[in-house]
Amino acid sequence: MVNDIKNVSTSVTNRTNASNVRQNDAEKSTSSNQSTDTAQTAKSDSVELTDTARQLNALSEQVSQEPEVNSQKVADLKARIEEGSYQVNNENIADKLVNEFKLSLDKP
């Protein structure tokens, strides 16, 4: 009787293992197909830049190479301040400050 139980147990274990192997093979096959599909899709993707995009890229590179400060203008203002000929327009500065404040209120 003991032998029969061992054989049944072994038989059940063998069937379970075979089922697991088939399931694993099916999952591997599906996974392999998905990665192949992804690889084929990636190969077919392409990007083309328009002439406008190329021009924008070239202009962006040119601008990035320019200095952020206009050295000539700074030198001119320094000279005028040292000479005492530079006049501050208080009204103009006040208007710009108020406008900047109004713009800052509109931002979230």
Side-chain angles (χ1 to χ4, degrees):
M1 187 100 174
V2 174
N3 285 339
D4 288 337
I5 293 174
K6 286 184 179 178
N7 287 338
V8 170
S9 175
T10 304
S11 175
V12 170
T13 302
N14 288 340
R15 276 187 260 144
T16 303
N17 287 340
S19 175
N20 289 341
V21 168
R22 282 193 300 273
Q23 185 178 2
N24 286 341
D25 287 345
E27 289 173 0
K28 286 178 185 176
S29 176
T30 303
S31 175
S32 175
N33 288 342
Q34 288 175 347
S35 65
T36 302
D37 291 344
T38 304
Q40 289 173 351
T41 302
K43 289 179 184 176
S44 66
D45 291 344
S46 66
V47 175
E48 286 188 35
L49 296 177
T50 63
D51 288 336
T52 304
R54 286 188 196 99
Q55 289 174 344
L56 286 173
N57 191 27
L59 288 173
S60 176
E61 288 178 20
Q62 287 176 355
V63 168
S64 68
Q65 294 174 1
E66 293 293 321
E68 292 185 28
V69 177
N70 184 339
S71 301
Q72 181 61 39
K73 188 172 183 177
V74 170
D76 181 50
L77 285 172
K78 279 184 179 181
R80 289 175 54 201
I81 290 169
E82 288 174 2
E83 293 171 356
S85 62
Y86 181 75
Q87 297 295 318
V88 176
N89 185 337
N90 295 332
E91 240 179 79
N92 190 18
I93 292 173
D95 287 340
K96 287 183 180 183
L97 286 171
V98 168
N99 286 335
E100 283 294 320
F101 179 72
K102 286 179 182 178
L103 288 174
S104 71
L105 292 178
D106 292 339
K107 293 180 183 178

